[in-house]
């Protein structure tokens, strides 16, 4: 049976469902040729995590492993079907199972193409994928694979590298903070350079021009313990990217010991520790840029976690961004607590999607880079207090510019720039680095983006507190804001010096009547007795949607202690009917899917005026629905039932 016959019998159409896919696995010319016209891709239209690749050519064991590694890095499919030529078997692999395990270990099922095994074949029919029922048949395997995704593996690999570097530098740097900064600088520079090399922004032309050796790369500089050249490489990159990427370009050579250089070099081509992957295993040219935000977890201290600083999962950021930027209108975006940049990355991706849809993005790849840079420079803004987080935001945004750009075009462009101009000018005059400000958002004396208004404001400000934040205390005591000839005084709004409430007041400063906003907030701001804050929020913003996320807290913020809500609103008050959605755990909520199940039929309509008048409270809807509340109200007013109290 041919692959067309087999999958057509399952209900798949090769014109509409299974699309031919070009796969370019570099440095694998034989594999690349074998994959030509032999790979198809199916993406589930219903967000049920059942996308897959189909390979129809015969591959050697190592070639199949390399293809699995490519798909694992790309993170855009859940399965791989391997159907070589007219074979008698179809092998189904779980694509998100780490490539450090063998092909055999990642096999979900083997299907016969000759025998009439109807029960087995029925499990992979088209409707099973679209409905998500497919996973019911393979739950035991998925449970075994929960924590083997690329984000977890990358974090684990970098943590192992961080620990070894920390031990190596323990004797030479006694101060913990200084040692932490040096280790962090070494790792984030290494990651950035690997991204640049994998995407051919740093290539043989680059090393030939600056180091007179076209065979060099970062790994070889490390292996050669070439400290001066390593620091020169850092400085060149710092200059090319508008002198803003690295806080200090060079690292003191006394810290770049032979042992330090060797352990970083070995992280590319040897296991850093038993069972860990190598950096070489991660394909940074296809790995999604937003994974940089997950890497940020490696550098968070326990104190930061206790204070409510967490990276925001992409699915949650995507939910909010899609609701806030729901029309195809390009506009400025601010995240006043940008962290490692997840909201800004997703927001920028949304603007790129709009630009493409409106036909604004050029066809030429180099012009496309410059258009994307201008779009970024004109529209993406952030404020972040932590230097590490600010750097990761810059890191991620600068790399997003190159996503989907043909590598050969970049190679040719860089060669031409170096030959003709003796320098690389990728971004023209546009400097988006100045848009991501390292500062305390709640600072009163040194205001950021003063008098600037934004089209969209999104974010996830810190909120968990064991003790009162000095920032929140000072802000609450001293901040005042004039809005439409009305003075708002922070101490009349903020309950208990809650820092997240300070942020939700401060954003008023950057809003006008057209501003749309979306924020994650601790539930206590809206469910507990935060009366002053609730009076302000309900009377000054137009609330459109609230997603109640307490039931899915553990899949969003694993170590967070407080429940959260996501709230979509406008900057001007409107007596809205609010759509309140309790988000539940379902079959696809647990790892590795982490899907947010939002059931429209369970939504509750709440009149904003009733919240203002305190006829109802949001906490009334934590359990039950509006009909339960009506029943309770009737029962509470029943005089006969009062006798039973």
């Amino acid at each position: 049976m041919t692959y067309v016959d087999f999958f057509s019998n399952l209900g798949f159409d090769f014109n509409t469902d299974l699309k031919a896919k070009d796969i370019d696995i570099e440095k694998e010319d034989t594999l690349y040729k074998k994959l030509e016209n032999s790979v198809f891709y199916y993406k589930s239209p219903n967000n049920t995590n059942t996308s897959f690749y189909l390979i129809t050519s015969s591959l050697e064991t190592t070639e199949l492993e390399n293809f699995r590694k490519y798909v694992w890095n790309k993170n855009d499919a859940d399965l791989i079907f391997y159907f070589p030529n007219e074979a008698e078997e179809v092998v189904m692999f779980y694509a998100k199972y780490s490539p450090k395990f063998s092909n055999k270990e990642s096999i979900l099922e083997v299907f016969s193409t000759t025998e009439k095994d109807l029960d087995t074949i029925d499990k992979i029919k088209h409707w099973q994928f679209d409905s998500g029922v497919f996973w019911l048949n393979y739950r035991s395997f998925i449970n075994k694979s929960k924590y083997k995704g690329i984000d977890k593996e990358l974090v684990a690999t970098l943590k192992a590298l961080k620990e070894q570097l920390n031990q190596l530098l323990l004797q030479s740097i006694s101060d913990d903070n200084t040692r932490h900064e040096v280790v962090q600088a070494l790792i984030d520079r290494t990651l950035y350079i690997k991204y640049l090399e994998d995407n051919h922004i740093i290539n043989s032309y680059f090393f030939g021009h600056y180091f007179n050796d076209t065979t060099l790369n970062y790994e070889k500089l490390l292996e050669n313990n070439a400290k001066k050249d390593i620091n020169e490489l850092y400085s060149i990159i710092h200059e090319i990217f508008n002198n803003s990427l690295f806080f200090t370009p060079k690292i003191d050579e006394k810290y770049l010991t032979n042992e330090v250089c060797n352990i970083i070099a070995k992280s590319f081509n040897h296991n850093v520790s038993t069972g860990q992957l190598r950096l070489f295993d991660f394909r940074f040219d296809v790995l999604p840029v937003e994974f940089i935000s997950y890497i940020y977890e490696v550098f968070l201290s326990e104190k930061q976690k206790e204070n409510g600083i967490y990276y925001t999962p992409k699915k949650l950021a995507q939910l909010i961004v899609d609701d806030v930027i729901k029309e195809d209108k390009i506009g400025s975006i601010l995240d006043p607590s940008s962290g490692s940049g997840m909201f800004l990355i997703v927001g920028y991706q949304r603007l790129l999607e709009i630009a493409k849809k409106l036909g604004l993005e050029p066809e030429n790849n180099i012009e496309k880079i410059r258009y994307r840079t201008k779009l970024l420079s004109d529209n993406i803004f952030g404020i972040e207090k932590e230097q590490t987080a600010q750097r990761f935001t810059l890191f991620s945004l600068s790399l997003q510019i190159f996503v989907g750009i043909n590598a050969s075009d970049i190679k040719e462009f860089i060669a031409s720039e170096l030959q003709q101009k003796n320098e690389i000018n990728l971004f023209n005059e546009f400097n988006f680095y100045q848009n991501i400000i390292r500062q305390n958002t709640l600072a009163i004396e040194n205001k950021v983006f003063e008098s600037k208004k934004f089209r969209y404001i999104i974010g996830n400000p810190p909120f968990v507190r064991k003790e009162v934040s000095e920032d929140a205390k000072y802000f609450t005591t001293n901040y005042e804001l004039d809005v439409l000839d009305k003075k708002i005084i922070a101490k009349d709004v903020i309950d208990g010096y809650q820092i997240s409430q300070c942020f939700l007041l401060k954003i008023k400063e950057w809003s006008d009547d057209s501003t749309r906003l979306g924020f994650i907030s601790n539930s206590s701001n809206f469910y507990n007795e935060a009366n002053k804050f609730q009076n302000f929020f309900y009377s000054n913003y137009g609330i459109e949607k609230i997603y109640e996320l307490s039931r899915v807290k553990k899949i969003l913020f694993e170590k967070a202690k407080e429940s959260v809500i996501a709230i979509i609103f406008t900057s001007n008050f409107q007596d809205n009917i609010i759509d309140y959605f309790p988000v539940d755990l379902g079959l696809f909520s647990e790892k590795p899917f982490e899907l947010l199940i939002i059931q429209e039929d369970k939504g509750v309509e709440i009149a904003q005026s009733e919240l203002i008048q305190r006829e109802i409270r949001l906490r009334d809807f934590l359990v039950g629905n509006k009909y339960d509340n009506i029943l309770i109200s009737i029962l509470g007013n029943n005089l006969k039932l009062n006798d039973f109290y």
Side-chain angles (χ1 to χ4, degrees):
M1 183 181 291
T2 67
Y3 67 85
V4 174
D5 292 334
F6 185 83
F7 280 91
S8 295
N9 289 342
L10 294 174
F12 291 95
D13 188 308
F14 277 82
N15 292 316
T16 58
D17 301 319
L18 277 163
K19 305 288 182 66
K21 188 90 168 178
D22 289 327
I23 302 294
D24 185 4
I25 300 181
E26 292 191 352
K27 301 177 184 178
E28 295 282 348
D29 291 338
T30 303
L31 177 56
Y32 174 73
K33 289 175 182 176
K34 284 187 178 182
L35 293 176
E36 277 190 301
N37 305 314
S38 299
V39 180
F40 298 86
Y41 180 68
Y42 166 78
K43 183 172 178 59
S44 168
N46 299 325
N47 199 25
T48 54
N49 281 50
T50 46
S51 299
F52 64 79
Y53 282 91
L54 166 62
I55 314 169
T56 62
S57 59
S58 296
L59 304 181
E60 300 295 331
T61 301
T62 55
E63 291 173 335
L64 186 56
E65 286 175 351
N66 285 335
F67 182 80
R68 281 184 51 229
K69 185 188 294 184
Y70 172 89
V71 174
W72 181 73
N73 272 280
K74 199 164 177 59
N75 200 46
D76 65 345
D78 308 279
L79 305 163
I80 297 170
F81 283 98
Y82 179 46
F83 192 155
N85 298 324
E86 296 183 12
E88 295 184 354
E89 290 183 339
V90 182
V91 183
M92 180 172 68
F93 296 96
Y94 182 47
K96 295 193 175 179
Y97 205 60
S98 172
K100 70 184 179 185
F101 298 101
S102 68
N103 289 338
K104 184 177 180 181
E105 288 178 280
S106 63
I107 293 175
L108 274 174
E109 192 82 82
V110 178
F111 304 96
S112 170
T113 63
T114 57
E115 299 175 3
K116 297 293 183 181
D117 189 355
L118 298 180
D119 289 340
T120 305
I121 296 295
D122 189 61
K123 292 192 291 188
I124 56 171
K125 285 191 173 177
H126 190 181
W127 71 269
Q128 298 264 22
F129 286 90
D130 280 2
S131 65
V133 174
F134 166 87
W135 290 115
L136 290 172
N137 302 313
Y138 297 100
R139 183 179 291 180
S140 61
F141 185 93
I142 299 309
N143 286 337
K144 187 174 73 171
S145 309
K146 275 184 181 181
Y147 298 97
K148 304 187 190 303
I150 187 170
D151 56 333
K152 297 294 182 186
E153 293 281 16
L154 184 52
V155 166
T157 300
L158 293 173
K159 277 184 176 176
L161 178 57
K162 177 186 174 185
E163 287 165 8
Q164 291 206 13
L165 287 171
N166 193 62
Q167 286 300 313
L168 285 174
L169 292 167
L170 197 57
Q171 297 301 317
S172 57
I173 311 177
S174 57
D175 180 70
D176 289 343
N177 290 332
T178 304
R179 189 172 62 256
H180 173 79
E181 287 176 8
V182 171
V183 169
Q184 173 188 302
L186 286 166
I187 292 177
D188 66 22
R189 280 158 175 70
T190 296
L191 287 172
Y192 196 77
I193 291 168
K194 176 159 173 55
Y195 259 103
L196 295 178
E197 288 188 337
D198 283 1
N199 285 280
H200 303 288
I201 298 159
I202 292 180
N203 52 46
S204 57
Y205 298 113
F206 176 94
F207 282 100
H209 179 80
Y210 289 109
F211 297 93
N212 298 314
D213 188 346
T214 58
T215 67
L216 272 183
N217 58 27
Y218 181 52
E219 185 182 346
K220 286 183 179 178
L221 290 177
L222 290 164
E223 289 174 343
N224 296 338
N225 298 315
K227 301 175 181 60
K228 286 189 176 359
D229 285 344
I230 290 169
N231 264 327
E232 182 64 18
L233 177 61
Y234 295 157
S235 298
I236 293 166
I237 292 170
H238 183 72
E239 183 178 349
I240 289 171
F241 289 90
N242 294 357
N243 300 309
S244 303
L245 186 63
F246 301 149
F247 183 62
T248 53
K250 295 186 178 182
I251 291 176
D252 196 318
E253 285 189 21
K254 67 184 178 185
Y255 303 140
L256 282 172
T257 64
N258 291 353
E259 292 81 4
V260 166
C261 291
N262 288 337
I263 196 63
I264 299 173
K266 286 180 180 178
S267 72
F268 282 86
N269 50 33
H270 296 289
N271 284 354
V272 177
S273 63
T274 305
Q276 295 295 343
L277 293 170
R278 306 160 296 168
L279 284 177
F280 177 79
D281 290 311
F282 297 95
R283 288 282 310 274
F284 283 31
D285 55 330
V286 295
L287 187 148
V289 167
E290 58 269 17
F291 273 35
I292 297 297
S293 290
Y294 295 117
I295 296 170
Y296 178 51
E297 180 186 320
V298 174
F299 301 105
L300 282 176
S301 67
E302 289 306 313
K303 184 176 180 182
Q304 287 172 311
K305 293 174 184 177
E306 288 173 3
N307 290 332
I309 300 173
Y310 296 93
Y311 64 82
T312 305
K314 184 182 180 184
K315 286 184 172 66
L316 183 53
Q318 193 75 61
L319 174 73
I320 291 172
V321 167
D322 287 348
D323 274 336
V324 171
I325 315 177
K326 61 182 182 180
E327 297 179 352
D328 291 335
K329 290 184 179 179
I330 291 174
S332 58
I333 300 173
L334 170 69
D335 182 347
S337 53
S338 61
S340 57
M342 182 61 83
F343 271 102
L344 292 179
I345 295 162
V346 175
Y348 182 47
Q349 288 171 344
R350 176 75 178 111
L351 296 188
L352 288 170
E353 177 188 301
I354 294 170
K356 187 174 182 180
K357 187 175 180 180
L358 298 178
L360 300 175
E361 193 174 74
E363 290 295 323
N364 177 277
N365 274 322
I366 303 307
E367 291 305 313
K368 189 178 291 186
I369 287 173
R370 288 173 172 157
Y371 173 79
R372 289 179 176 183
T373 307
K374 185 177 187 307
L375 186 72
L376 179 56
S377 181
D378 289 347
N379 294 289
I380 302 298
F381 299 83
I383 309 169
E384 175 51 48
K385 185 177 178 181
E386 291 285 332
Q387 180 184 319
T388 307
Q390 178 212 24
R391 210 157 58 230
F392 270 98
T393 299
L394 294 172
F395 186 165
S396 303
L397 289 170
S398 65
L399 292 169
Q400 186 66 51
I401 292 169
F402 301 105
V403 171
I405 301 295
N406 187 284
S408 61
D409 287 353
I410 295 178
K411 281 182 181 178
E412 291 174 11
F413 172 75
I414 288 175
S416 174
E417 287 281 286
L418 292 175
Q419 290 166 5
Q420 296 178 24
K421 302 178 183 177
N422 206 34
E423 64 178 1
I424 302 172
N425 184 3
L426 280 170
F427 302 139
N428 283 352
E429 74 277 13
F430 306 116
N431 183 3
F432 55 86
Y433 289 99
Q434 63 191 3
N435 293 356
I436 311 300
I437 308 296
R438 184 189 170 206
Q439 186 173 309
N440 179 1
T441 301
L442 301 182
I444 296 173
E445 289 79 11
N446 299 312
K447 292 187 176 182
V448 182
F449 305 129
E450 191 170 6
S451 72
K452 184 173 178 61
K453 306 300 180 184
F454 293 90
R455 176 83 181 178
Y456 308 109
I457 306 179
I458 49 183
N460 178 15
F463 52 78
V464 176
R465 67 161 195 260
K466 284 191 173 181
E467 55 189 36
V468 173
S469 158
E470 288 302 315
D471 290 339
K473 193 170 184 178
Y474 185 79
F475 181 88
T476 302
T477 306
N478 297 283
Y479 183 72
E480 296 181 358
L481 177 66
D482 291 321
V483 180
L484 299 176
D485 299 324
K486 177 184 175 184
K487 186 177 290 293
I488 298 176
I489 302 172
K491 63 184 178 182
D492 295 335
V493 171
I494 311 302
D495 287 284
Y497 304 118
Q498 173 54 264
I499 193 167
S500 58
Q501 294 179 17
C502 298
F503 273 84
L504 291 170
L505 167 58
K506 177 72 172 177
I507 55 178
K508 198 73 177 171
E509 188 176 310
W510 296 300
S511 306
D512 60 22
D513 286 347
S514 65
T515 304
R516 296 184 53 75
L517 307 97
F519 276 81
I520 299 167
S521 172
N522 45 319
S523 302
S524 58
N525 285 339
F526 297 92
Y527 293 145
N528 294 350
E529 298 299 329
N531 293 331
K532 288 192 297 183
F533 173 73
Q534 290 170 23
N535 287 340
F536 159 76
F537 196 88
Y538 297 149
S539 302
N540 285 274
Y541 294 115
I543 307 170
E544 294 179 355
K545 288 184 180 179
I546 296 175
Y547 296 101
E548 208 302 305
L549 301 169
S550 62
R551 297 177 182 87
V552 293
K553 179 179 70 172
K554 67 178 182 178
I555 70 168
L556 296 175
F557 306 102
E558 292 180 7
K559 298 177 184 177
K561 296 179 180 178
E562 187 168 352
S563 296
V564 298
I565 66 170
I567 187 162
I568 312 300
F569 53 105
T570 57
S571 59
N572 57 318
F573 170 74
Q574 298 174 46
D575 187 9
N576 284 344
I577 298 298
I578 304 165
D579 291 322
Y580 176 93
F581 296 102
V583 183
D584 288 315
L585 285 169
L587 171 64
F588 301 110
S589 298
E590 298 290 348
K591 293 180 182 299
F593 306 114
E594 296 181 331
L595 294 184
L596 300 176
I597 309 301
I598 301 167
Q599 295 174 277
E600 297 283 343
D601 60 333
K602 290 189 177 180
V604 179
E605 291 187 346
I606 301 172
Q608 190 165 333
S609 58
E610 292 181 343
L611 290 173
I612 295 171
Q613 300 300 323
R614 298 201 172 274
E615 296 172 16
I616 57 172
R617 303 289 291 269
L618 274 186
R619 65 186 180 197
D620 297 341
F621 300 94
L622 275 171
V623 178
N625 54 41
K626 61 183 179 181
Y627 302 109
D628 297 321
N629 288 327
I630 292 170
L631 177 59
I632 290 170
S633 177
I634 292 170
L635 293 176
N637 293 324
N638 190 307
L639 296 178
K640 292 183 180 180
L641 286 174
N642 284 338
D643 296 336
F644 294 93
Y645 285 170

